[in-house]
């Protein structure tokens, strides 16, 4: 079986597709990735660039200029999936022609696509190939796919199967074809000092790889509070110039490995970081923000596995609670066990073979 995997041209959309792609390849199937931009950083697979020269920021700016009334809602994190539908519609418009040519040349038996790679559903319809929708976040995948506004509204094939990675107790909806979330962060290694088990509580602080509208003061607020928190704080890809005592920084660190070494985390609410913390059973403090960040923050807080705050509300008291609250720690461990009980990616290979 030949499986064509397509993801929007952002690393946070490509990396969640890797564990299932690996399972397919290890089962003897051929796998080809189609993406663009920094998504091309995926390694270990043949990858086709279907939007050469793609850069996210200009497309995002163009979309916002065309839809100015949505900007206020996007900044508040209340516009999803409307803004996302227009933004990723424009992105998929840029991907579609080359992706279709790639598919016609490669002749896949299945197309696996994530919710914001609607070009996968379009080409599945045009080629008459079963398409499998693999969710990559806590958001409802079919809803995101339906919201995507591509030019000319091309026909999209209904998915032959929907794979859901969100634990039901967090997403508050049932699972379709459940699949365990397996963290993947590329081939990066932890610095030796960060791989060592901490001697006292450790708090990671991570910001998005995709710039959000407006200033980002999350790290500076955590650093300012650090003096009054009995914990070691580690900033990943810092945007803070002066580091106070008890605060260290590293340019790159794979979040899953850092969490496995023992840590809580403060972050921007992106799906990959949120799910990685849930999988690790790590308490998390999510700063509400644009796009799906507020959605993710409030789902995690409602489950009790973390805290959700606005950026301005980060305080020493809140950071101390993050590493001392037994209720949050217990709920985080419960969700981790729930994820561990979900079928691993290799158990989905046969379902993909039979889809359609």
């Amino acid at each position: 079986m030949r499986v064509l995997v397509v993801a929007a041209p952002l690393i946070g959309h490509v990396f969640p597709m890797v564990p299932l792609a690996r399972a397919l390849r290890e089962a003897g199937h051929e796998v080809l990735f189609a993406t663009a931009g920094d998504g091309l950083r995926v390694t270990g697979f043949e990858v086709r660039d279907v939007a050469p020269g793609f850069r996210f920021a200009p497309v995002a700016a163009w979309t916002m200029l065309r839809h100015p009334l949505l900007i206020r809602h996007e900044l508040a994190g209340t516009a999803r999936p409307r803004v996302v539908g227009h933004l990723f519609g424009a992105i998929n418009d840029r991907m579609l022609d080359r992706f279709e040519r790639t598919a016609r040349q490669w002749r896949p038996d299945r197309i696996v696509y994530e919710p914001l790679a609607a070009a996968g559903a379009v080409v599945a319809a045009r080629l008459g190939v079963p398409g499998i929708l693999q969710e990559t976040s806590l958001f409802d995948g079919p809803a995101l796919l339906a919201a995507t506004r591509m030019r000319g509204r091309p026909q999209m094939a209904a998915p032959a199967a929907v794979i859901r990675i969100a634990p039901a107790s967090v997403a508050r909806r049932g699972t379709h074809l459940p699949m365990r979330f397996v963290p993947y962060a590329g081939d990066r290694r932890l610095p030796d000092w960060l791989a060592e088990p901490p001697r006292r509580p450790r708090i990671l602080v991570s910001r998005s790889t995709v710039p959000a509208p407006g200033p980002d003061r999350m790290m500076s607020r955590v650093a300012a509070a650090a003096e009054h928190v009995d914990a070691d704080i580690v900033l990943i890809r810092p945007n803070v110039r002066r580091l106070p005592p008890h605060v260290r920084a590293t340019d790159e660190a794979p979040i899953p490995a850092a969490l496995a070494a023992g840590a809580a985390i403060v972050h921007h609410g992106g799906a990959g970081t949120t799910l990685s913390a849930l999988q690790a059973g790590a308490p998390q403090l999510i700063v509400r923000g644009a796009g799906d960040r507020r959605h993710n923050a409030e789902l995690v807080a409602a489950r009790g596995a973390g805290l959700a705050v606005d950026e301005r509300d980060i305080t020493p008291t809140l950071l101390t609670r993050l590493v001392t609250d037994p209720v949050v720690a217990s709920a985080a461990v419960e969700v981790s066990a729930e994820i561990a009980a979900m079928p691993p990616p290799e158990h989905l290979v046969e379902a993909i073979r039979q889809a359609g």
Side-chain angles (χ1 to χ4, degrees):
M1 183 170 66
R2 294 162 68 86
V3 183
L4 181 54
V5 179
V6 58
L10 295 162
I11 199 166
H13 293 248
V14 178
F15 277 8
M17 311 288 284
V18 169
L20 180 58
R22 280 180 170 171
L24 286 161
R25 188 175 61 188
E26 288 170 2
H29 303 293
E30 296 181 66
V31 177
L32 173 68
F33 268 83
T35 185
D38 67 1
L40 298 172
R41 288 168 54 187
V42 65
T43 59
F45 292 89
E46 183 181 356
V47 184
R48 300 284 176 85
D49 186 349
V50 293
F54 174 83
R55 292 189 300 130
F56 180 81
V59 180
W62 176 81
T63 302
M64 290 298 185
L65 287 172
R66 289 197 65 195
H67 306 281
L69 296 179
L70 295 180
I71 294 177
R72 182 181 302 174
H73 297 291
E74 173 68 6
L75 290 170
T78 59
R80 195 175 181 93
R82 292 180 63 199
V83 167
V84 165
H86 289 292
L87 172 57
F88 282 87
I91 290 172
N92 277 272
D93 287 339
R94 298 190 178 208
M95 295 170 58
L96 181 58
D97 287 347
R98 282 182 179 265
F99 176 62
E100 183 174 353
R101 288 202 296 273
T102 296
R104 291 187 181 278
Q105 291 167 1
W106 201 67
R107 298 184 179 181
D109 301 299
R110 301 289 184 272
I111 296 175
V112 178
Y113 57 94
E114 51 99 1
L116 293 175
V122 173
V123 173
R126 292 178 179 177
L127 271 62
V129 173
I132 290 86
L133 173 61
Q134 180 193 331
E135 293 185 345
T136 56
S137 72
L138 297 177
F139 211 91
D140 181 78
L144 285 182
L145 181 65
T148 305
R149 295 291 181 265
M150 294 179 67
R151 187 170 52 242
R153 303 291 179 89
Q155 179 185 356
M156 298 183 191
V162 177
I163 297 172
R164 289 185 166 165
I165 63 171
S169 73
V170 177
R172 294 186 290 185
R173 55 190 170 87
T175 54
H176 211 267
L177 281 177
M179 184 180 77
R180 181 188 309 162
F181 172 75
V182 177
Y184 173 78
D187 299 327
R188 295 172 296 167
R189 296 183 59 186
L190 276 181
D192 290 341
W193 60 269
L194 193 51
E196 297 174 358
R199 297 180 180 179
R200 65 175 186 161
R202 176 184 289 161
I203 300 174
L204 307 175
V205 188
S206 173
R207 59 193 178 92
S208 178
T209 56
V210 179
D216 180 358
R217 300 189 180 94
M218 178 181 68
M219 285 190 168
S220 61
R221 291 187 181 277
V222 173
E227 181 181 355
H228 306 287
V229 181
D230 185 19
D232 294 321
I233 293 174
V234 179
L235 308 183
I236 300 174
R237 294 183 306 102
N239 59 359
V240 177
R241 292 184 178 179
R242 295 182 180 179
L243 301 181
H246 310 308
V247 177
R248 298 184 72 174
T250 179
D251 289 336
E252 288 289 343
I255 296 293
L259 290 170
I265 186 166
V266 178
H267 64 97
H268 60 289
T273 306
T274 301
L275 283 161
S276 291
L278 291 173
Q279 185 272 341
Q284 53 187 308
L285 189 161
I286 305 178
V287 176
R288 301 184 186 100
D292 64 348
R293 300 174 187 184
R294 179 177 295 273
H295 175 79
N296 294 337
E298 293 180 351
L299 285 180
V300 170
R303 177 60 180 83
L307 311 173
V309 300
D310 294 329
E311 188 179 79
R312 63 178 179 273
D313 295 327
I314 295 174
T315 63
T317 300
L318 193 66
L319 294 175
T320 298
R321 182 186 170 196
L322 177 65
V323 293
T324 60
D325 190 324
V327 176
V328 172
S330 177
V333 170
E334 290 172 2
V335 175
S336 177
E338 180 184 357
I339 292 172
M342 296 170 73
E346 54 266 28
H347 287 193
L348 276 292
V349 172
E350 182 61 19
I352 291 173
R353 192 186 68 82
Q354 294 184 2

